[in-house]
Amino acid sequence: MVAVYLPLPAFADGLPAGDDRTPDKTNRPGSNDWPTPRSSSEAGSFAGTWYAFVDNTAFTIILEQEGQIVRGAHTAVYDYGRRVDSSVGSVSMLGTIEGTTAFMEWKSGLSPETGKATLEYIPGKPVTLHWKIAEEPPKPSDQADAGPVEVSYFLPKTAYLMRK
């Protein structure tokens, strides 16, 4: 008998399938609750849970869309779990949709600064989103007691995400 181990698809948020930590279903735009993960078969919808694995980073975003507004939360597990950048249950991305592109402002879980990114909706089989950082958040200033800081986030600079 031969045993074959097949890894489960990108559970970058570290939660096992069927975890009982269900997000609050009463979240409203502007609230700080984790967006409700849901798939949408609506053509052109950004809503849903999206994942990618690129450059040793498992990247997951959960997006909600209300009209032309999109908001979301992220988790990026870098260097095989040695580094984690997560919004830790709060909204970390907010943007507006123009055509097939969402222009996002995002915040790392590691820095109070914000950056800018685009999410391009690419129809097809499978539907994908192309995440691309357009403007990095500034690095925190070097402080005498903290030492030099090399990075202020672990999100990938570019990634093609598939809907979970």
Side-chain angles (χ1 to χ4, degrees):
M1 176 179 211
V2 175
V4 177
Y5 171 73
L6 296 174
L8 294 174
F11 287 101
D13 55 8
L15 298 176
D19 187 82
D20 61 358
R21 285 184 14 179
T22 305
D24 179 7
K25 304 262 188 235
T26 62
N27 45 2
R28 296 168 300 284
S31 74
N32 219 17
D33 297 322
W34 188 272
T36 306
R38 56 184 159 213
S39 291
S40 176
S41 59
E42 183 182 330
S45 177
F46 285 77
T49 302
W50 302 83
Y51 71 95
F53 187 82
V54 61
D55 297 330
N56 295 328
T57 303
F59 183 41
T60 301
I61 57 176
I62 299 172
L63 298 174
E64 274 186 348
Q65 179 180 343
E66 291 186 21
Q68 300 303 95
I69 304 296
V70 65
R71 68 185 195 129
H74 78 279
T75 298
V77 179
Y78 175 73
D79 197 19
Y80 304 103
R82 292 183 185 103
R83 308 269 192 265
V84 177
D85 186 334
S86 177
S87 59
V88 193
S90 64
V91 172
S92 61
M93 301 176 180
L94 182 64
T96 56
I97 300 169
E98 293 180 20
T100 59
T101 304
F103 296 91
M104 309 292 290
E105 187 167 309
W106 59 275
K107 182 186 168 311
S108 166
L110 304 174
S111 168
E113 305 295 334
T114 59
K116 294 184 180 179
T118 57
L119 273 173
E120 180 186 1
Y121 182 90
I122 304 171
K125 296 191 185 217
V127 172
T128 57
L129 290 181
H130 180 220
W131 162 268
K132 184 176 180 184
I133 292 179
E135 185 178 307
E136 296 182 25
K139 293 178 184 176
S141 61
D142 292 343
Q143 299 172 357
D145 58 345
V149 177
E150 293 181 25
V151 297
S152 57
Y153 68 95
F154 287 111
L155 283 71
K157 291 185 188 286
T158 184
Y160 288 92
L161 298 115
M162 295 178 21
R163 186 177 271 139
K164 246 184 192 180

